Amino acid sequence: MGKETILVIADIHSNIHAFNTFLKYAEEKNVEKILNLGDFVQEGPNPVEVFDIVMNDKRFINILGNTDYSLITGDCEEFTEGEKEHQQWNINILGEERIQKLKTVPTERIVEIKNKKILMVHSRIDSMNELPVLYKEATLDEFTKDYGDLCDYVIIGHSHCQTLVKHWIGKPVLNPGSIGCSRDGFVSFAEMDFYDNGVVDITFKNLKYDIDFNVMEFFKNNVPDKDNIMKVFYKMN
């Protein structure tokens, strides 16, 4: 029976050390497609290194997340001063050519694997910033119906939490977790196996990496707003 394996990732957040751990796994699995759900730059110490891999490696099929999109729009009205400084640091270090290249990436897309349509969206169809309605005390009906009926599977990021919801209304919704900002120190993602007979197997993956290397990069690169970022995303005071 024929099978195609893809990997689904989200929220790398410029963490090259966690990302390299994932890339090693991808090489070992010899996958040809990696679906990236955005937020691959900002809120981490190595935006250039991550950007250049994600945007140039032909295996990656990308959409933008809210942190990527804000680099394009420059919108920072609701940001703290630290967040504004951090975003400007990213813009400066990435440079105009990379920012222009970022503009070519869509905010959502549908890909097809073995006759299964997969909707890629960072959080919600009408908002990259708002959390999925499941986190707002919505019912499972409301959560799954929020993504419409244009596909067979929905894959989302943003919350950094591995989630798989299968409900009798709507389509299955998968969140692979976060590559770079998992609070438990794991590199989190998902693996999807598509078989010729229509079966789709979904497996969550969690790999250990040395988070201390990432923390050292924040100080080495003098990343603006690093104290707040490490507190929010890595539980470090």
Side-chain angles (χ1 to χ4, degrees):
M1 184 186 302
K3 179 183 76 167
E4 181 173 353
T5 298
I6 69 169
L7 300 178
V8 183
I9 67 171
D11 299 281
I12 304 169
H13 286 298
S14 300
N15 184 339
I16 191 63
H17 298 285
F19 193 33
N20 280 337
T21 298
F22 164 77
L23 290 172
K24 181 180 179 182
Y25 180 89
E27 289 290 339
E28 292 170 351
K29 293 291 293 188
N30 196 30
V31 296
E32 295 182 358
K33 290 187 180 72
I34 299 170
L35 307 189
N36 170 35
L37 299 168
D39 274 10
F40 52 97
V41 291
Q42 295 222 72
E43 295 169 347
N46 297 102
V48 170
E49 294 89 335
V50 170
F51 182 98
D52 287 347
I53 295 171
V54 167
M55 295 296 290
N56 295 301
D57 188 322
K58 300 302 183 183
R59 294 173 296 176
F60 284 83
I61 300 173
N62 304 309
I63 63 169
L64 298 175
N66 55 293
T67 63
D68 314 312
Y69 191 67
S70 68
L71 290 175
I72 295 172
T73 64
D75 184 16
C76 58
E77 287 184 10
E78 298 182 5
F79 286 12
T80 66
E81 288 304 312
E83 289 169 340
K84 291 177 182 178
E85 187 180 353
H86 179 76
Q87 175 158 291
Q88 189 58 52
W89 176 80
N90 275 274
I91 292 171
N92 293 342
I93 198 170
L94 286 169
E96 181 62 22
E97 184 176 344
R98 290 188 182 89
I99 297 298
Q100 290 301 318
K101 194 170 184 178
L102 198 62
K103 292 180 180 180
T104 67
V105 180
T107 56
E108 61 184 63
R109 69 197 307 167
I110 292 178
V111 298
E112 189 167 322
I113 311 289
K114 287 195 176 290
N115 298 316
K116 299 290 186 182
K117 292 182 179 179
I118 306 167
L119 173 63
M120 300 173 61
V121 58
H122 185 65
S123 182
R124 299 181 63 194
I125 289 177
D126 58 355
S127 176
M128 287 182 288
N129 287 298
E130 288 187 27
L131 282 170
V133 297
L134 186 65
Y135 294 89
K136 299 180 180 181
E137 299 182 359
T139 65
L140 289 179
D141 286 2
E142 293 168 328
F143 173 58
T144 54
K145 287 170 67 176
D146 193 50
Y147 296 99
D149 199 34
L150 298 175
C151 60
D152 299 293
Y153 287 85
V154 180
I155 54 176
I156 65 175
H158 196 51
S159 72
H160 301 185
C161 297
Q162 289 182 321
T163 310
L164 176 59
V165 175
K166 292 185 176 182
H167 191 46
W168 69 286
I169 290 179
K171 305 301 181 182
V173 181
L174 167 68
N175 186 322
S178 172
I179 291 288
C181 283
S182 171
R183 289 189 172 214
D184 55 14
F186 292 108
V187 178
S188 300
F189 56 99
E191 186 171 308
M192 300 181 75
D193 295 316
F194 294 81
Y195 293 88
D196 287 342
N197 65 359
V199 170
V200 179
D201 283 340
I202 299 173
T203 308
F204 287 122
K205 300 293 183 179
N206 292 279
L207 306 178
K208 193 68 177 176
Y209 81 107
D210 194 337
I211 196 173
D212 289 341
F213 285 112
N214 191 52
V215 172
M216 286 189 289
E217 293 279 0
F218 274 100
F219 290 93
K220 176 184 174 183
N221 296 338
N222 195 25
V223 179
D225 206 32
K226 58 182 174 294
D227 292 338
N228 179 59
I229 293 169
M230 289 190 290
K231 178 181 179 180
V232 172
F233 292 111
Y234 300 102
K235 293 183 178 179
M236 295 181 179
N237 296 319

